[in-house]
Amino acid sequence: MSQHNCSKDGPTSQPRLRTLPPAGDSQERSDSPEICHYERGFHKLSAAPNYTHCGLFGDPHLRTFTDRFQTCKVQGAWPLIDNDYLNVQVTNTPVLPGSAATATSKLTIIFKNFQECVDQKVYQAEMDELPAAFADGSKNGGEKHGANSLKITEKVSGQHVEIQAKYIGTTIVVRQVGRYLTFAVRMPEEVVNAVEDKDGQGLYLCLRGCPLNQQIDFQAFHANAEGPGQRRPAANSAVPLAPGTFPYETAVAKCKEKLPVEDLYYQACVFDLLTTGDVNFTLAAYYALEDVKMLHSNKDKLHLYERTREPPGGVAAAAPLLDPRPLFSTLGVLALLPVFC
């Protein structure tokens, strides 16, 4: 509200009466202006747009537009995307009472009013509520001539929704897996970086990654759990264990069933089973990887094997599998990884 100088006191505008759509419904019209189809703006002699991918899933694990992979605490509301065309915000809540492990319980996407293509549209999902329409009940971009350049499609009722925003060349996938939500997006670099005030942009997790004090070195946790006598988080952990928390060998077996390649998605799966005891996190990692296969433009980068940490200098660096100096919050370690004390 402060960014857009919104008044906290009235007056408020009256809701505009909806007019009947033209015959055939504007959702079905195929005569959208060229400006409402991003790829049509690239002529044969122009280079094709470079697409990027960001995803958030599980406890929660973040893959940024630059293919950095981080595991974060980020409890509460955090912005995933904030550019000239849309905002995406997630709310993460503790998986267990008092736990540092969180997962996404709410997702809000705001598509901003854009020329003759779309009216402002808001999509909001919460636990056990994955709607197949925008907040106003519509399934497209409104009443403008190019309204069909924004569409929402329900793939699996209550489990899988896809939003196509052709006017910005963007595809968004939202899923509910178990109790929690996952998010994945394919977006052109030009749209990713379309920010007027880059210095005042603030946190934008899909672009900048999680703040250092919010990062968790789950690979070090994974390596420690694999060691002798440390098959699971300690019973006297400050983080309450779920009744069904898995032994390490069981967690590995369950994750192997869905994720045979031992990449970061597999390791994220093992981490989530050890810290939450919720077998649905196996599917969350599986579907996150499936979304990467569908949305990522570089098929050589589907699997990642080294997590990325953000050193104090702010330049991303790939961390070795067994990092002797894991860079994450000391409090996070004490709360989540008592075996390091």
Side-chain angles (χ1 to χ4, degrees):
M1 290 179 68
S2 61
Q3 180 181 349
H4 296 284
N5 296 319
C6 298
S7 172
K8 294 182 179 179
D9 303 313
T12 58
S13 60
Q14 294 298 315
R16 184 162 57 96
L17 294 175
R18 286 185 60 84
T19 57
L20 291 175
D25 189 347
S26 61
Q27 295 183 55
E28 303 301 326
R29 291 158 60 185
S30 58
D31 59 344
S32 299
E34 185 168 299
I35 194 173
C36 299
H37 197 296
Y38 184 80
E39 291 185 351
R40 288 180 190 167
F42 289 84
H43 303 288
K44 293 181 180 180
L45 298 179
S46 303
N50 184 30
Y51 288 96
T52 59
H53 163 76
C54 176
L56 186 77
F57 69 97
D59 178 16
H61 308 283
L62 172 71
R63 180 169 180 162
T64 72
F65 283 128
T66 53
D67 290 315
R68 290 178 288 171
F69 195 100
Q70 299 170 343
T71 297
C72 313
K73 291 179 288 185
V74 290
Q75 183 174 335
W78 291 78
L80 276 183
I81 298 174
D82 182 10
N83 60 38
D84 293 345
Y85 302 99
L86 79 164
N87 299 103
V88 181
Q89 179 173 284
V90 293
T91 300
N92 302 311
T93 54
V95 175
L96 298 168
S99 173
T102 63
T104 302
S105 57
K106 186 175 181 178
L107 171 75
T108 302
I109 307 172
I110 301 175
F111 296 90
K112 300 178 183 179
N113 187 307
F114 181 69
Q115 299 187 17
E116 55 189 298
C117 303
V118 298
D119 298 318
Q120 177 171 295
K121 291 289 177 177
V122 177
Y123 180 78
Q124 192 166 75
E126 299 184 50
M127 290 192 300
D128 300 322
E129 186 177 346
L130 190 69
F134 296 108
D136 62 1
S138 66
K139 293 192 174 186
N140 72 342
E143 299 175 5
K144 293 185 176 181
H145 191 54
N148 69 324
S149 62
L150 176 63
K151 286 186 178 181
I152 182 168
T153 305
E154 185 175 58
K155 297 292 187 179
V156 181
S157 179
Q159 298 180 34
H160 181 187
V161 164
E162 185 175 301
I163 303 174
Q164 291 278 353
K166 291 184 178 179
Y167 65 100
I168 51 173
T170 295
T171 301
I172 295 174
V173 176
V174 183
R175 299 178 187 266
Q176 174 162 324
V177 186
R179 298 179 58 217
Y180 299 102
L181 304 174
T182 70
F183 170 85
V185 62
R186 180 179 189 257
M187 182 179 290
E189 270 189 0
E190 181 185 20
V191 176
V192 168
N193 296 308
V195 181
E196 291 182 7
D197 182 12
K198 286 184 166 50
D199 294 332
Q201 187 179 15
L203 292 171
Y204 174 170
L205 299 188
C206 274
L207 185 62
R208 300 189 176 187
C210 297
L212 182 62
N213 66 353
Q214 294 292 320
Q215 295 180 33
I216 298 171
D217 192 340
F218 81 88
Q219 282 190 318
F221 177 91
H222 177 90
N224 197 78
E226 199 173 359
Q230 300 292 346
R231 295 304 181 193
R232 54 187 288 175
N236 62 351
S237 168
V239 182
L241 292 175
T245 298
F246 297 98
Y248 176 77
E249 297 89 341
T250 305
V252 165
K254 287 188 176 295
C255 292
K256 274 282 191 179
E257 291 175 8
K258 286 289 185 182
L259 300 157
V261 178
E262 293 189 20
D263 60 0
L264 290 179
Y265 290 88
Y266 159 81
Q267 293 186 35
C269 172
V270 173
F271 174 86
D272 290 351
L273 291 189
L274 291 176
T275 55
T276 70
D278 186 347
V279 72
N280 287 304
F281 281 93
T282 303
L283 288 175
Y286 169 77
Y287 284 123
L289 183 58
E290 290 300 298
D291 290 339
V292 172
K293 293 176 182 178
M294 179 179 72
L295 300 174
H296 205 295
S297 59
N298 188 341
K299 301 309 176 186
D300 293 330
K301 290 187 177 181
L302 299 183
H303 298 281
L304 297 176
Y305 296 92
E306 291 185 337
R307 73 175 284 273
T308 311
R309 53 180 167 81
E310 197 78 22
V315 179
L321 183 61
L322 297 179
D323 184 2
R325 297 170 298 147
L327 295 176
F328 48 81
S329 167
T330 302
L331 291 177
V333 181
L334 295 175
L336 186 62
L337 312 178
V339 290
F340 282 157
C341 298

